[in-house]
Amino acid sequence: SLYSRESVLRAYGLEAHVCYLGVDTDIFVDRNGQREDFVIGVGAFAPEKNIAAVIQALATLPEPRPRLVWVGNTAAARYVETLRELAVTLGVLYEPRLNAGDADLVDLLNRAACMVDAPRLEPFGLAPLEANACGLPVVAVAEGGVRETVVDGVNGLLVGHTSELPAAIERLLGDPALARRLGRQGSERVRERWSLPGAIDRIEQALLAAAAHSTVH
C-alpha cells in the first residue's frame, strides 16, 4: 500500500514501489441473497484489530441492536474470553468464529448487513476487499491502508475515529438501498481493480522491472 511505502521511507529512508494485492473472485462472490441483522468483522483475535472498539460502538446503538460475528484464524491468549466478557457487560450479542474455512467466511459475508473494520494502522488488509467482493459494504476507520481500498460513499463509509462508527453503522442498517448500492459498487470495483489475475500481473511487472534494473546496473 502507499501507507506501507511511506512507512518504509520514514523508517529506513528507502524508496519502494507499491504492488497491490488481489482477491480471489472465484471464491469470494456475491450470491445476491437476503441480508440478515448482523455485522461482521474479520481478523485475528488480537488487540491491534481493535475488536473491543467495535463491540463498544455496537453497544451505543438502540435496541434491538445487531449482533457481531467476528471471524479470525488466530487468537491471543485469553483475548477471546476478554472480548466475550466485554460484550456481555455491554449487552452486545457477540459470536467469535475461530478458524472458519473459506466456505463459512463467504457464507457469512453474503448474509451480513455490513462489515466493520477498525484495526490500528493496518498496512493494507484484504478483509474489506473480500467483503466487497461478496457485495457487502464496509464501515471503516480511515487509518492505514484501508484509505486506499474503501472510498467513502462508493463501496463503504469511512469515519475519522472509532467514536463515529455507531452513526455510520446505523446509517447503513437504516438504509438498505444505500447498503445495496455500496455493496454492488464494491463488488464491481473488486472485479475491475482488485482481482487476483490483476495482482499477478502487477507482481510480474514489478519483478521484470527489478530484473531489468539489476541488469542495467
Side-chain angles (χ1 to χ4, degrees), residues 23-48:
V23 173
D24 190 337
T25 52
D26 289 332
I27 294 176
F28 293 91
V29 296
D30 182 4
R31 297 171 181 167
N32 297 304
Q34 185 69 32
R35 295 291 173 177
E36 300 175 20
D37 189 28
F38 71 91
V39 302
I40 188 171
V42 177
F45 292 94
E48 58 267 24

Side-chain angles (χ1 to χ4, degrees), residues 83-106:
L83 293 170
R84 196 192 306 272
E85 292 168 358
L86 175 65
V88 170
T89 300
L90 297 179
V92 174
L93 294 176
Y94 165 64
E95 298 178 16
R97 304 283 185 93
L98 184 61
N99 293 324
D102 283 346
D104 290 335
L105 176 57
V106 170

